[in-house]
Amino acid sequence: MRRRSCAPCATSSTRRPVASSANTSLALVAGELSGDLLAARLMAGLKPHLPDVAFSGIGGPRMLEQGLVSDVPMDTLTVRGLLPVLLRYRELKGIQNRLRDRLLAERPAAFIGADYPGFNLGLEEQLRAVGIPTVHFVGPQIWAWRGGRIKKIQRAVSHMLVIFPFEEEIYKKAGVPVTYIGHPLAETIPLVPDVAAARRQLGLPEDAKVVTVMPGSRMSEIKYLTEPYVRTVQLLAARDPSLRFIAPMAGERQKAYLEELVAKAGLQDVPLQLVDGASHACIAAADAVLAASGTATLEVALFKKPMVIAYKVLQAEWMLIKNMGYLPWIGLPNILARDFVVPEFLQHAATPQALADAVWFQLTDENNRARLSERFTEMHHSLLRDSARESARAVLQVIGKA
């Protein structure tokens, strides 16, 4: 395994600002990096209209850069999986209750929950019940899994901000005020990616055939996907030794865990280059991508890259997910297209041989590559809005400052 380094830095803020009676106070909570990015863009969009705004709540590095005073580190909330949540339920509930009590006392102009619905919807419901307006940023995927959650959303959310165009009609039908703001990734990812620049950044030859492997950022994803993904690389490397394979790592902990799993499986000699961060460069540099489900699949589509989606979880969790699912797709490109535009291999179907054959097709079939580029370009345009402006405008309307 070879490594490259690209380490970001972050700042923090701990002292709560004292807001005068003329200031506007807004509370925000993000529990993960994706929500941190969304909320930070919203905060940046609000500042020109609310120059004396005071932001407080819970958030990550990007929200802190925009002036958020965070009650606790965002990492405290970042818990994945049913069992870990149950084990930490009392701790997380205590954080939620303390934040609720403070906000009930301070009465912010609005509360904004950035994704993280398991924590935020419960808090929003309690705040809205006493008259504090609530905005939820990124509609929970009720169209895919938790359809019954719409009842709670109706009670908890004053205004929903959605990032996919088809979601707007769902919330309108449920009587929830809603604004489609576009997807921020469609703004940050260029319509035409610079492949040569990405390869220079990563030290890859411009004429190489590159496969990017993305086993996810969650430890549970890495646990179940590392071995089948690395064995897929092994099969592809045997088929064409000139192929280059890279894998962006979300952090040191994820990288160390992946390396541990690779060593246990005896796959240390597989030619997979680990890259610290730089996930967008790794996608831009690729000729094809093997990715877990989630936001990464949308990023790959916005970079106009052929891909294969593969996902595995604990068998008991898989049975639960399988029984809860309402859609035949799990990958965001397929959900947006309402079609299997790229292949999905789930659970037992995600074998190294099946994945290697599918990635090889994505690498070598030029008609397929041209078709996907056209579909993904159309998708990119459909998601492209000024999300900071649109989300800020919606929040200003909610708090009566439009």
Side-chain angles (χ1 to χ4, degrees):
M1 295 285 190
R2 298 186 297 277
R3 307 182 185 180
R4 292 187 64 85
S5 174
C6 182
C9 59
T11 60
S12 64
S13 182
T14 56
R15 190 172 64 184
R16 190 172 308 288
V18 178
S20 73
S21 58
N23 289 355
T24 299
S25 173
L26 293 174
L28 305 94
V29 170
E32 299 174 310
L33 289 174
S34 57
D36 179 51
L37 172 61
L38 291 167
R41 291 181 65 83
L42 167 60
M43 293 163 72
L46 285 168
K47 282 182 175 180
H49 304 281
L50 302 172
D52 296 321
V53 66
F55 297 119
S56 68
I58 301 173
R62 288 194 169 93
M63 293 169 70
L64 297 175
E65 289 173 0
Q66 292 297 327
L68 179 82
V69 175
S70 191
D71 285 31
V72 297
M74 188 182 72
D75 289 350
T76 308
L77 300 186
T78 306
V79 186
R80 293 288 191 174
L82 180 60
L83 182 58
V85 169
L86 291 175
L87 291 174
R88 294 188 55 203
Y89 175 79
R90 291 183 64 183
E91 176 192 359
L92 295 172
K93 188 64 177 175
I95 294 171
Q96 185 190 65
N97 288 343
R98 288 190 294 275
L99 179 58
R100 175 204 62 200
D101 292 345
R102 178 175 71 76
L103 297 180
L104 290 177
E106 296 181 3
R107 307 286 301 191
F111 173 85
I112 302 162
D115 207 359
Y116 207 61
F119 184 96
N120 279 330
L121 286 177
L123 183 56
E124 289 161 10
E125 187 172 1
Q126 296 175 80
L127 297 176
R128 192 182 185 205
V130 297
I132 297 174
T134 58
V135 178
H136 195 85
F137 200 168
V138 182
Q141 293 182 1
I142 56 174
W143 35 268
W145 311 112
R146 302 278 295 276
R149 190 177 264 179
I150 191 64
K151 300 293 186 184
K152 186 166 190 173
I153 291 170
Q154 290 168 331
R155 297 191 302 269
V157 178
S158 303
H159 201 100
M160 181 70 74
L161 306 180
V162 296
I163 57 177
F164 297 120
F166 67 86
E167 293 178 300
E168 199 169 22
E169 188 61 29
I170 295 172
Y171 288 102
K172 283 181 178 177
K173 284 184 178 179
V176 178
V178 60
T179 300
Y180 169 56
I181 63 164
H183 202 296
L185 282 172
E187 299 171 71
T188 59
I189 295 173
L191 280 166
V192 180
D194 191 336
V195 177
R199 293 190 174 194
R200 285 194 299 270
Q201 177 182 339
L202 298 169
L204 295 168
E206 287 195 23
D207 60 349
K209 282 283 189 182
V210 178
V211 177
T212 294
V213 178
M214 305 184 73
S217 59
R218 307 173 192 175
M219 301 302 279
S220 59
E221 291 173 331
I222 294 170
K223 177 180 180 179
Y224 292 105
L225 294 175
T226 292
E227 185 169 349
Y229 274 28
V230 177
R231 291 196 183 280
T232 298
V233 170
Q234 187 178 44
L235 291 172
L236 288 167
R239 186 177 294 192
D240 183 353
S242 71
L243 291 174
R244 300 290 294 268
F245 301 92
I246 56 176
M249 294 285 99
E252 284 297 322
R253 194 163 63 101
Q254 289 89 339
K255 180 170 62 177
Y257 188 39
L258 184 142
E259 290 177 326
E260 176 188 338
L261 294 173
V262 167
K264 284 182 179 178
L267 297 169
Q268 302 96 317
D269 294 333
V270 173
L272 179 62
Q273 174 181 321
L274 304 186
V275 179
D276 293 339
S279 62
H280 281 189
C282 290
I283 298 171
D287 292 290
V289 179
L290 173 61
S293 69
T295 304
T297 62
L298 180 61
E299 292 175 311
V300 176
L302 292 174
F303 275 102
K304 325 300 182 300
K305 302 295 180 176
M307 80 184 86
V308 174
I309 298 170
Y311 204 68
K312 297 182 77 170
V313 293
L314 182 70
Q315 183 61 23
E317 186 177 349
W318 167 248
M319 295 306 297
L320 179 64
I321 291 172
K322 189 176 180 181
N323 292 332
M324 288 172 62
Y326 302 124
L327 297 178
W329 319 281
I330 67 161
L332 284 170
N334 291 339
I335 291 169
L336 287 166
R338 321 303 283 177
D339 191 12
F340 283 102
V341 293
V342 295
E344 298 180 358
F345 295 87
L346 311 181
Q347 207 63 3
H348 301 301
T351 65
Q353 189 62 60
L355 299 183
D357 289 343
V359 171
W360 184 258
F361 175 79
Q362 299 290 350
L363 272 172
T364 58
D365 191 290
E366 292 304 323
N367 289 333
N368 175 66
R369 296 174 66 82
R371 177 183 64 88
L372 287 178
S373 179
E374 183 177 344
R375 293 291 295 271
F376 291 158
T377 299
E378 293 171 358
M379 194 176 293
H380 199 148
H381 282 291
S382 75
L383 297 174
L384 192 57
R385 301 286 189 279
D386 187 337
S387 61
R389 182 188 66 194
E390 296 298 326
S391 58
R393 181 183 297 169
V395 171
L396 291 169
Q397 289 176 344
V398 169
I399 66 175
K401 299 281 189 178

